[in-house]
Amino acid sequence: MMDITQLVCLSNFFSSYRAAPESFFAFVQEPIRQGCGIDPGWLPTAKKPSALLPGFNLQKFRTLAGWSTMHATHFWMQTWHTAPASAVDYLFAYVPQGTLILSYDMPPWLAQACEQRGFDWLDMRPSPLAFGRDLYVALHASNAVLQQHLVRWSVSDEELRLEAALLAANLHAHRLDIEEGFHYKFNLDGCLVFVGQHPEDAALLSPDGHSLRCTDFSEQLRELAKGKTMLHLLDRRNLGRAALAPHISDLWTHVKRECETLKKIVNAPVQICQQNIYQILSSDDDVQLVGISAPALQEAAWFDKPAHELFRPRTPLATMHASPDAGERKYVQVHFTDVLKPAFWHAVLTPDAPYPKLPALPELERNQARTGLNNWGDYEKVMTWERPLHTASFERSGGGLLRKRIEKLEQSQNSVATASSMDDAAMQAKIRTLKDTKKGLTAYVLGNGPSLNELNAVALLKEESFWCNQAYELERQNISFTPKYYFVGSPTGFQEFGHQMMAVKAEKKFFRDEVYRLAQARFPQSFPDQNVIKYGGPPRPLMFEEGEHFSADPSLFVNAGATILVEAIQFAFYMGYERVYVGGVDLDYSSTPYFFGGQSLDYVPRDAWSENMRQSFIVAKHYFEKHGRILAKITKSPNLPLNYVKIQEMWAKP
């Protein structure tokens, strides 16, 4: 028997993404406390105290490992299997002896470190089987006694079969209904669906650190595809929404490239599959799945669908369909609602302790895990696509009236431009008054990097200078921040710092359209008195994607470049400036990223974003050179790909 008296929550601290592990532990912390009488603390990434010994510093741990925000994505992938010893030793110096480690999605390096030092551990993660009425949690304990305790709570194979059959029947009825109603029809007979994954999915990492791609399995794919039509379906699990959100366009670019690669491998066209994973698994069609290690491949067997797994599952399960070569570490599945019960944690961790006063909350709602963790996957399409209840609910809650009013507006013969379109036309006219008004002059575009401190901001504010975002922090240096031109492009930045941004006294302000709308709504009294110019443009492609893009007319649109500075540069070109000098743009987020201090957000993939910025500046430089103008930098900023121009003494900081 185990005598558990201390718990510590740990996860992969080399990953920038906090939402999934912190959210999960937030759900189970109180049930553990009530069920076991032990406070497990919080993850060291959270603001609340962890159960590590006093003095642990997460930043020092990362520094010892060589981690930086600039290269966070690549670093966690490189260290997934093996972490730097100095950092691991530092971490475990703060783990109390006799502690049971609770982990979320435990990386191999952490499991190895626990085993080498004699610490038992319990790992938790979402199960790859997500077809049930709610999510399951997959758990594995290094200690055999704990593992046996978990087995008693495990979901049976019979239940999994029933859940799969229930969903299959649901979707079979749904398919017949929409086919007979002439809404939609599909046929996947003779298809081989390649189930792709996010390129940063840890399930793709081999022990040598290589991230597997379809080209690593060309022969197998070529053989399996003979006589079949290959389709591509993306399984976006194993990564949370925070990881996906900044890269949705990049992700679809990856999908297109993977389709092209598969086309070369099988020597036949590969289209994107229009059906979701559960439509495929529930269908009667003669269709097979293939992939490297996507969770959908583990689900297929429960629907009696053939699936070919080219590598190995990230979360091997202790079920009737378990892979025989998955090793000894097989995960037990339990209901998410069970891990919310104090009685569960009492039975698993401290069965000899006093029984909890409240074993569990009363009945919880269906989809508790999906709703609470915001983890729906393709099940969301099961719930909503072509379902009459949602349409009827919309109609009866005011949607019907709204639809009629819209129809009436559309049918009106005397409709004129809406207030919004009139405003857009006025803004376009306002921007066009700027064209070539500064022909032959010099402009300065200033970022907020540390190198801005090398410049004489007071002198530059008197010149033709463009500033942005939190440049108002110059006020802390007793500098009156009254810029000629001031740009704000981030809605989230404006939501946090809107009061300071609206307080800036600039000759002209330039707000991206979404920021403009936010400012109108939040500051209805003061906004009309500010000279704000609204501009917009598509978020994609970025300036360097699919060719080079530089807007010759910002009154129509401005090309995005992962930084508002290149948007200001497009305006500067339009206004006719002969020379545009850039300062305070360092593209280095490894330490203090701003002239006024501060830290980068951990979850922002700065390495990828900085590269996007760098490529965008290259495009802008090419456009200036093509038209015989100069775009250069006046701070050395080695990561910024512009020629350095030594500035006059008057621009240097006194």
Short mmCIF file of all heavy atoms in Angstrom, two decimals, residues 445-449 452 466-468 471 565 582-585 595:
data_model
loop_
_atom_site.label_atom_id
_atom_site.label_comp_id
_atom_site.label_asym_id
_atom_site.label_seq_id
_atom_site.Cartn_x
_atom_site.Cartn_y
_atom_site.Cartn_z
N VAL A 445 9.85 55.70 -38.48
CA VAL A 445 8.87 54.74 -37.97
C VAL A 445 9.49 54.06 -36.76
O VAL A 445 10.51 53.37 -36.88
CB VAL A 445 8.47 53.71 -39.04
CG1 VAL A 445 7.54 52.66 -38.45
CG2 VAL A 445 7.80 54.40 -40.23
N LEU A 446 8.88 54.26 -35.60
CA LEU A 446 9.48 53.82 -34.34
C LEU A 446 8.68 52.69 -33.71
O LEU A 446 7.47 52.78 -33.52
CB LEU A 446 9.58 54.98 -33.35
CG LEU A 446 10.59 56.12 -33.64
CD1 LEU A 446 11.96 55.57 -34.00
CD2 LEU A 446 10.10 57.07 -34.70
N GLY A 447 9.40 51.60 -33.39
CA GLY A 447 8.82 50.51 -32.63
C GLY A 447 9.07 50.69 -31.15
O GLY A 447 9.65 51.71 -30.72
N ASN A 448 8.68 49.71 -30.38
CA ASN A 448 8.79 49.82 -28.93
C ASN A 448 9.79 48.85 -28.33
O ASN A 448 9.70 48.48 -27.16
CB ASN A 448 7.41 49.59 -28.29
CG ASN A 448 6.42 50.68 -28.69
OD1 ASN A 448 6.79 51.84 -28.82
ND2 ASN A 448 5.17 50.29 -28.91
N GLY A 449 10.77 48.42 -29.15
CA GLY A 449 11.82 47.53 -28.65
C GLY A 449 12.81 48.26 -27.77
O GLY A 449 12.86 49.50 -27.73
N LEU A 452 14.90 51.41 -28.71
CA LEU A 452 14.33 52.77 -28.74
C LEU A 452 15.01 53.65 -27.69
O LEU A 452 15.12 54.87 -27.85
CB LEU A 452 12.83 52.72 -28.49
CG LEU A 452 12.09 54.06 -28.59
CD1 LEU A 452 12.14 54.61 -30.01
CD2 LEU A 452 10.63 53.92 -28.15
N PHE A 466 6.26 58.25 -36.97
CA PHE A 466 5.13 57.34 -36.79
C PHE A 466 5.39 56.50 -35.55
O PHE A 466 6.44 55.86 -35.44
CB PHE A 466 4.98 56.41 -38.00
CG PHE A 466 4.62 57.11 -39.29
CD1 PHE A 466 5.52 57.96 -39.93
CD2 PHE A 466 3.38 56.91 -39.88
CE1 PHE A 466 5.20 58.59 -41.13
CE2 PHE A 466 3.04 57.53 -41.08
CZ PHE A 466 3.96 58.38 -41.70
N TRP A 467 4.42 56.45 -34.64
CA TRP A 467 4.55 55.70 -33.40
C TRP A 467 3.38 54.74 -33.26
O TRP A 467 2.38 54.86 -33.98
CB TRP A 467 4.59 56.66 -32.20
CG TRP A 467 5.69 57.69 -32.29
CD1 TRP A 467 5.69 58.81 -33.07
CD2 TRP A 467 6.94 57.67 -31.61
NE1 TRP A 467 6.86 59.51 -32.91
CE2 TRP A 467 7.66 58.82 -32.01
CE3 TRP A 467 7.54 56.81 -30.69
CZ2 TRP A 467 8.92 59.13 -31.54
CZ3 TRP A 467 8.80 57.11 -30.21
CH2 TRP A 467 9.48 58.25 -30.62
N CYS A 468 3.47 53.82 -32.33
CA CYS A 468 2.40 52.82 -32.26
C CYS A 468 2.22 52.27 -30.84
O CYS A 468 3.10 52.39 -29.98
CB CYS A 468 2.67 51.67 -33.22
SG CYS A 468 4.09 50.66 -32.76
N ALA A 471 3.71 53.11 -27.09
CA ALA A 471 4.76 54.13 -27.11
C ALA A 471 4.48 55.23 -26.09
O ALA A 471 5.40 55.96 -25.68
CB ALA A 471 4.90 54.72 -28.51
N LEU A 565 3.93 47.99 -37.60
CA LEU A 565 4.94 48.90 -38.16
C LEU A 565 4.98 48.84 -39.68
O LEU A 565 5.17 49.87 -40.34
CB LEU A 565 6.30 48.56 -37.58
CG LEU A 565 6.40 48.81 -36.07
CD1 LEU A 565 7.64 48.17 -35.50
CD2 LEU A 565 6.38 50.30 -35.77
N VAL A 582 13.71 53.30 -39.76
CA VAL A 582 13.05 52.50 -38.72
C VAL A 582 13.96 52.39 -37.51
O VAL A 582 15.17 52.13 -37.63
CB VAL A 582 12.72 51.08 -39.26
CG1 VAL A 582 12.07 50.23 -38.17
CG2 VAL A 582 11.82 51.18 -40.49
N GLY A 583 13.39 52.58 -36.33
CA GLY A 583 14.16 52.45 -35.09
C GLY A 583 13.33 51.76 -34.02
O GLY A 583 12.10 51.77 -34.06
N GLY A 584 14.01 51.15 -33.07
CA GLY A 584 13.31 50.50 -31.97
C GLY A 584 12.58 49.23 -32.37
O GLY A 584 11.64 48.82 -31.71
N VAL A 585 13.03 48.59 -33.44
CA VAL A 585 12.43 47.33 -33.90
C VAL A 585 13.51 46.26 -33.84
O VAL A 585 14.37 46.18 -34.71
CB VAL A 585 11.87 47.47 -35.34
CG1 VAL A 585 11.21 46.16 -35.77
CG2 VAL A 585 10.89 48.62 -35.42
N PHE A 595 10.99 48.74 -24.65
CA PHE A 595 11.87 49.78 -24.11
C PHE A 595 11.51 50.13 -22.67
O PHE A 595 12.33 50.63 -21.91
CB PHE A 595 11.83 51.03 -25.00
CG PHE A 595 10.57 51.85 -24.87
CD1 PHE A 595 10.46 52.85 -23.91
CD2 PHE A 595 9.49 51.64 -25.72
CE1 PHE A 595 9.30 53.61 -23.79
CE2 PHE A 595 8.34 52.39 -25.61
CZ PHE A 595 8.24 53.38 -24.64
#
